[in-house]
Amino acid sequence: MSTETHALLWSKKSNCFHIEPLPATVNNGLRFFRSNSTNDYLVIGVGSRDECGKKADELRPLLREREEVRRLFGTE
């Protein structure tokens, strides 16, 4: 069992989650900062890989609901 801390990220544009080791999240944030740019992913949770996966599973119905609204109405 890994004790490494992970980040749960959410993309509004892609309407999806991504889980990665927290140091990768920080490195990516610094890269965007240094290049004075942004990305679409927001950190919405931090914990073990399993904890982040469970939180994503809890929130996934909301992603499905948003996708259905996009499909039906073409809106965010």
Side-chain angles (χ1 to χ4, degrees):
M1 181 175 152
S2 173
T3 59
E4 185 175 27
T5 302
H6 285 71
L8 172 61
L9 299 102
W10 165 70
S11 167
K12 180 178 182 179
K13 183 178 178 181
S14 299
N15 194 38
C16 68
F17 297 124
H18 176 71
I19 298 172
E20 66 185 14
L22 187 58
T25 305
V26 173
N27 288 338
N28 286 332
L30 284 171
R31 183 170 45 86
F32 282 105
F33 172 75
R34 288 185 178 121
S35 66
N36 197 32
S37 61
T38 61
N39 79 34
D40 182 50
Y41 284 89
L42 297 174
V43 176
I44 61 169
V46 174
S48 70
R49 173 72 175 86
D50 287 345
E51 290 169 334
C52 288
K54 287 176 185 174
K55 180 55 80 175
D57 289 343
E58 290 173 17
L59 296 171
R60 198 160 279 112
L62 185 54
L63 291 185
R64 289 187 192 112
E65 180 181 310
R66 290 175 178 173
E67 187 58 36
E68 185 66 8
V69 168
R70 283 183 185 178
R71 186 184 72 75
L72 292 172
F73 303 104
T75 63
E76 298 179 30

